[in-house]
Amino acid sequence: MRRKGGPRAALPRSGHASANDRLTVGFPAFGDNPAMSPSPAVKEPLLMRLLGRLMHPWIAIRREPSTPVEQLLRPELPVCYVVERYGLSNTAILARACAEAGLPSPLLSIGAHAAFGDERALVALSRRQSTWFGRPRSRTHSASLAKLVQALEEHPDLDVQIVPVSIFVGRAPDRESGWFRVLFSENWAMVGRFRRALSVLLNGRGTIVQFAPAVSLREALSEGLPRERTVRKVSRVLRAHFRRVRTAVIGPDLSHKRTLVDAVISAEGVAAAIADQARRDGISLEQARGKARRYALEIAADYSHPAVRSASFILTPFWNKLYDGVTMHHFETLKQVAPGHEVIYVPSHRSHIDYLLLSYLLYVNGIVPPHIAAGVNLNLPIVGPILRRGGAFFLRRSFKANPLYSAVFSEYVASLITRGVSIEYFIEGGRSRTGRLLQPKAGMLVMTLRAFLRQPRRPVVFQPVYIGYEKVMEGRSYIAELSGAPKEKESLFGLLRAVGNVLRKRYGKVAVNFGEPIFLDRVLDEHDAEWRRFASAPDEKPQWLNRAVDDLSTRIQRHINQAADVNPVNLLALCLLATPKHAMAEADLLSALDLMKALLERAPYSERMTVTALGPAEIVRYGESVQVLERVQHPLGDVLRFPADLAVLQTYYRNNVVHLFAAASWVACCFQNNRRMSRSAVVRLGRLLYPFVQEELFLPWTGEEFGQRIEATVDLLIERGLFVLDESGALQRGPGQTDEVFQLRIVAHSLQQAFERYYIAIAVLVKNGSGTLSTGELENFCQLTAQRLSLLYSQAAPEFFDRALFRGFIGKLRELGLIRLDANSKLEYDERLEAWAKDARLILSRELRHSILKITPEVARQVTAEAPSEAA
């Protein structure tokens, strides 16, 4: 064992399992193993047996973890259980949990060896010593632990395995729980006997007993420290373990809101900002401090365990009313990582429901809900205080021009991280209106990194979360906003009206997938192995900080995408939106669904991606049952289609998973206007275009890896008969309107409009000439061209003319050096961009190329003549 940290290295990291089942195993009986046999002179006390029977109707135990108990203990060693706090109820609960699991009883002696004497197999780190009516006194040392250490020192051949056990009464909520029970749920206070008795009576059927893996006490003695120091060291490590577990299960021990606000206002950085504000506004320090305090009170959460538990009672029937089911995947990874880490949850942001859903799922599965960064627009009367008590803290949409507010908010976030409070924020900045992940905003990430660099007390882990809906509540409003309608401002009346409308509908199923965690220290090690030196220089900004933030934000988005869930609605949208009238013959739809599932299963995007288990025919029936599909009967065969009012909305659900088909869509696009093409050309052009697709869809591969995925996709399509190899080895599709050509068109459509958008930008730039357009003018002309194409031809998805996507493509062109700004801030390019325009002919139809080239100069002249200032 290492000198530094002592027994900390030997004791297990805390963790939780989510299993609800009870385990019965064949553990060795006491008589089978002398080491674990009790002393014949010691029996279970009559008082504890009576207490156990008395408590039996009031207690229901959920034992964790779900692993077999023989993996927790070593049968050859005597066992001693360690609990955080002594109490008759805790002892009785532990005895029952051990009996149910087939473990040795904590009420019997540790073992048959004379060195143990009559010491029972139970040690409590702290206990309250008092008479029934006297003032209790807390005792924080354990005489029993000291006796165990002494016994092992005197008998070098002996060893004892200690098993830390955490007991929580009333942590797990259930639908039958009453409001009064919330007052007596598990918390951080060391409660008295009367309060504990009420807690058992009211909440005992929601009891969790968590066993940590056994640890050899002999290892703690290997350093050769004096006995007193060894006992203190083991006790300290065990207390740290129990605190980690309690923090993960019921949340950190938070001070009152005003105490936290006072600490924020007194911080050095905020004090300096207050002085600057007073000098700038010509006011007194006290007035500036009052302003800072008002900012802090506007921001700060007022987290309440009873409020969170109460909310769980309300939300359980709420979810049952709205959804047909909520599923989680890869949650066990989080439960293993959360203890001992500062967890930053970074989910995708599709709906206002995201806030409530993730917190609820974490709470009912044994993880404390995070503090959530919410927009100040949600700080409504009545609603705001409720959200604060659930952990919400509020931030303004923009506060760059307000240095005092910025300092207060940054310090508040830093204080949460320092205290070990888990946090949730959406790095997209707002809800996605298109169904795709948005480009990340760096503000909260910068604050998180600066706070961690200033005081790296606990390791920070970012937990990406993908949330997928079959029907998103705000879907129709998103389409309206993308079509030009103004965003409706939040209000209490509007919220009540929206809730009323929402409760009259059903929204299918929801999937919550936890992505691969991202450990901040590992990311920082890649940028600067000596990053820890900045902890001693908090005011110094590392040169690599911006690069690290960009890297981290991209990783988060990629890990979210890698955890995507593909539901039946996603697959139906992918197929039917590829047709002009969003309709297919039933046989064609079944074939298309089968192909889409094959692409996902034969060449999976990632290990954390999940796909519906339904087959093609079951997907069709499900779509009809949730009223996404309508069937039109016809003598020559039924036709399945989207209802007219739902067709545009389905682009949202297609866009949720469009990144999963990037390689397949590219291959199919190459054969929309070409019947024959060499495999090497498909790969070469795909790798050339990949940086732009990667930037837009947050794809995880390198250019070489994307080429390999193209190769694998080609092999799969050959196997399914969509391609054949001609005499020269080139790929060749079938002629005319065969079923295989039709299936290729469906696969191509999911990203075809993205490729068309790229060509629009290049065509506009090349048509107007090098050094002619500014960045803003090019964005404006591209958007107008795309809008007009959408009006003239088949209706495009709303993101087809999204200016932000054109901005991202132009930015990537500049990053790759294909375009650059001249001295007049106009965009210059060379012959490489003209070569790109020629390559685009392989992808786009002649009709579309002609339309783009025809429309572009007309738009440019018209906008330049009518609104030059706006274009600029």
Side-chain angles (χ1 to χ4, degrees), residues 24 50-51 67 394 436 569 616 710 785 804 842 865:
T24 56
L50 293 176
L51 181 61
T67 53
F394 297 99
R436 296 183 180 187
V569 176
I710 291 175
T785 303
L842 296 171

Side-chain angles (χ1 to χ4, degrees), residues 733-765:
R733 65 165 171 82
Q737 299 299 317
T738 62
D739 290 344
E740 292 75 17
V741 173
F742 180 67
Q743 290 184 22
L744 280 176
R745 186 180 307 140
I746 293 170
V747 176
H749 188 269
S750 60
L751 280 179
Q752 187 167 353
Q753 290 182 348
F755 304 140
E756 292 171 358
R757 197 184 328 110
Y758 300 159
Y759 183 66
I760 288 172
I762 294 173
V764 169
L765 191 57

Side-chain angles (χ1 to χ4, degrees), residues 550-603:
D550 291 342
D551 179 22
L552 182 59
S553 64
T554 300
R555 290 192 195 198
I556 289 171
Q557 298 295 73
R558 290 176 179 174
H559 284 209
I560 291 174
N561 268 347
Q562 287 176 313
D565 176 78
V566 185
N567 60 50
V569 176
N570 299 141
L571 292 172
L572 290 171
L574 281 163
C575 296
L576 289 177
L577 290 177
T579 62
K581 299 191 70 173
H582 308 141
M584 273 192 197
E586 185 170 11
D588 291 337
L589 180 56
L590 294 175
S591 297
L593 290 170
D594 183 63
L595 175 60
M596 291 297 185
K597 287 203 66 175
L599 289 169
L600 292 171
E601 294 168 354
R602 295 283 300 278

